[in-house]
Amino acid sequence: MYKKNYSFYLILSLSYLLDSILNIGLIWITLETMGSTLYLGIILSLSAFIPFFATRYLKNKIKFDIKYLSIFRIIIFAYISVFILIFNAINLVSFLNIAILLGINNFLCMSTYQIENTKLVSNKLISKSYAAKYFQSSIQFGAFIGSFLGTFLLNYIKFDSLIHFTSICIILISINVILLNKNEDKSKISIEKDTLEEIEVSSNKKVKKTKDYTELILLFSLIGFHIGTFNMVIPVIFQRINNWNSMYFGVVDALAGIGSLLAVFIKQSRKRALLLSLMLILIDIVLGYSNIYIMTALATFFTGFCISYISIMIRELIITLSIDNYTSNYISNETTLYYNISTGISPILISLIISDFGFGIMSSRYILFIIAILIFIILYVKKEKN
């Protein structure tokens, strides 16, 4: 693999490591400080919805590459650090401010890194299969290390110190990335003009939405809903029901990331996906009702594995519905739309269900496995049809 490729995947992994430290820290400290699942749900939903629709509106107006993304990250994290330093306020307004900016950063990072990864393939610097594996592996590796470090550090330093430390690291790495890309030849890494033109007009081409297509969209949305619900209820169960500290939460979140990473290397099979969806129901029951930490930790590992494996299978099935570049891009955009909507709406919806206005905090125990049952039913129906 070329030296440039190693640099790109190292930057990708470090970015997700540092971002995950702040993301996981924000989730834990919000629930701990505000003492309300409703506030956490609002923050998680806004951090998903506002950046998503903002970036969709601006996607044709702003073109990011690694260099400009790095400049953007310097500005964003310098602002966050200065904001906390000046106002020294750890409250709802601060949490909303940080969450929305982190959400925008997360969306732009994902889209920019995906484009850069595509450029490596387009310029034949790496094969498609290896690009997909290295890309997913770099993200998962950085994310689970960052999740562990974030909650580990919260046991020893305050949240504002965690923000300053992480922001400085991000700024220093971003400056280094800018210097590395200063003399880069843009023409060697640009996507072909014809491909860009196809992408621009693809949204105008109508795609016949078959029943099979609709089922896959629904299934993919449920996966997103499960992930959003997991991010909402697990901190609640750990902190409010089992009285476990942030270190425990960081370890299980890291284990979920390791499980997701390992699923990338397992050969796809519909029968195996159906079996894992059934296994997911049992795992989610353990997650909700077990007060034995080792069992819960193992359950989160297998949750990450099962969800990742099923997600990969759904993506492959959706790709098979594409008959050309137009429909491929259209389907990709629509699945991303519904996935992000379901991921964004789940925290606020679940927070209302488990709040005092709904069924109470103990209802957080059984929400995950209800969603897992729906995933299993749709996969079973599809298997019977085929």
Side-chain angles (χ1 to χ4, degrees), residues 230-347:
F230 180 92
N231 292 335
M232 178 68 206
V233 302
I234 295 302
V236 172
I237 292 172
F238 272 50
Q239 191 177 127
R240 302 288 295 279
I241 297 178
N242 292 339
N243 295 315
W244 292 335
N245 64 28
S246 60
M247 182 66 179
Y248 287 94
F249 178 54
V251 170
V252 299
D253 207 62
L255 286 172
I258 295 173
S260 300
L261 174 62
L262 293 178
V264 175
F265 304 101
I266 306 299
K267 187 177 179 180
Q268 286 295 308
S269 163
R270 292 194 186 190
K271 289 182 179 179
R272 191 176 291 129
L274 182 64
L275 181 62
L276 289 176
S277 68
L278 180 61
M279 182 179 172
L280 183 63
I281 298 173
L282 301 176
I283 291 168
D284 284 346
I285 292 174
V286 174
L287 277 177
Y289 288 94
S290 175
N291 56 5
I292 301 173
Y293 181 71
I294 294 176
M295 288 183 64
T296 304
L298 287 173
T300 54
F301 169 83
F302 286 109
T303 296
F305 182 87
C306 293
I307 287 294
S308 181
Y309 187 92
I310 297 169
S311 298
I312 293 169
M313 189 210 68
I314 296 170
R315 288 181 185 275
E316 288 187 359
L317 291 175
I318 289 173
I319 289 172
T320 61
L321 298 176
S322 304
I323 57 176
D324 53 32
N325 288 331
Y326 299 105
T327 55
S328 176
N329 192 67
Y330 178 90
I331 291 171
S332 176
N333 288 336
E334 191 158 82
T335 52
T336 301
L337 170 64
Y338 286 111
Y339 176 84
N340 282 287
I341 288 176
S342 60
T343 305
I345 201 173
S346 54

Side-chain angles (χ1 to χ4, degrees), residues 86-106:
I86 293 176
F87 294 98
N88 195 27
I90 302 299
N91 52 37
L92 181 60
V93 175
S94 297
F95 293 151
L96 281 172
N97 197 349
I98 296 169
I100 291 171
L101 290 174
L102 286 179
I104 293 173
N105 169 73
N106 293 340

Side-chain angles (χ1 to χ4, degrees), residues 39-255:
Y39 285 128
L40 178 60
I42 291 171
I43 287 174
L44 288 176
S45 291
L46 288 178
S47 68
F49 274 126
I50 292 178
F52 175 66
F53 288 110
T55 50
R56 278 181 67 85
Y57 175 75
L58 295 172
K59 67 179 181 179
N60 293 322
K61 297 178 174 63
I62 301 176
K63 302 296 182 183
F64 274 85
D65 58 14
I66 291 291
K67 178 182 176 181
Y68 289 107
L69 176 66
S70 299
I71 294 172
F72 172 82
R73 283 168 65 80
I74 291 172
I75 295 171
I76 285 292
F77 288 102
Y79 169 81
I80 291 174
S81 188
V82 171
F83 177 85
I84 294 297
L85 185 65
I86 293 176
F87 294 98
N88 195 27
I90 302 299
N91 52 37
L92 181 60
V93 175
S94 297
F95 293 151
L96 281 172
N97 197 349
I98 296 169
I100 291 171
L101 290 174
L102 286 179
I104 293 173
N105 169 73
N106 293 340
F107 269 91
L108 289 176
C109 279
M110 176 56 76
S111 59
T112 303
Y113 287 135
Q114 282 182 332
I115 291 172
E116 292 297 321
N117 198 44
T118 303
K119 288 178 181 179
L120 294 177
V121 177
S122 299
N123 288 280
K124 299 180 180 179
L125 297 175
I126 190 172
S127 68
K128 289 181 181 180
S129 59
Y130 279 111
K133 287 181 179 180
Y134 290 147
F135 189 81
Q136 186 69 21
S137 301
S138 298
I139 290 176
Q140 295 296 346
F141 180 78
F144 77 71
I145 294 295
S147 296
F148 173 77
L149 287 177
T151 48
F152 175 79
L153 291 172
L154 275 179
N155 284 303
Y156 300 98
I157 61 176
K158 293 181 178 180
F159 183 59
D160 55 349
S161 299
L162 182 68
I163 290 175
H164 297 317
F165 168 74
T166 311
S167 296
I168 290 171
C169 291
I170 291 173
I171 290 170
L172 290 175
I173 291 174
S174 297
I175 291 172
N176 190 42
V177 171
I178 292 171
L179 294 175
L180 286 174
N181 286 271
K182 188 175 181 180
N183 298 318
E184 187 175 285
D185 184 1
K186 302 294 181 180
S187 63
K188 291 183 180 179
I189 60 167
S190 62
I191 300 175
E192 293 294 331
K193 183 179 179 181
D194 291 342
T195 304
L196 287 174
E197 288 174 352
E198 285 181 355
I199 291 173
E200 287 179 4
V201 300
S202 63
S203 59
N204 297 321
K205 189 176 181 71
K206 293 186 178 181
V207 176
K208 185 179 180 181
K209 298 180 181 179
T210 62
K211 189 174 182 180
D212 196 42
Y213 172 83
T214 304
E215 288 173 352
L216 287 173
I217 292 292
L218 175 60
L219 192 55
F220 204 53
S221 298
L222 279 174
I223 293 294
F225 198 87
H226 189 283
I227 292 171
T229 302
F230 180 92
N231 292 335
M232 178 68 206
V233 302
I234 295 302
V236 172
I237 292 172
F238 272 50
Q239 191 177 127
R240 302 288 295 279
I241 297 178
N242 292 339
N243 295 315
W244 292 335
N245 64 28
S246 60
M247 182 66 179
Y248 287 94
F249 178 54
V251 170
V252 299
D253 207 62
L255 286 172

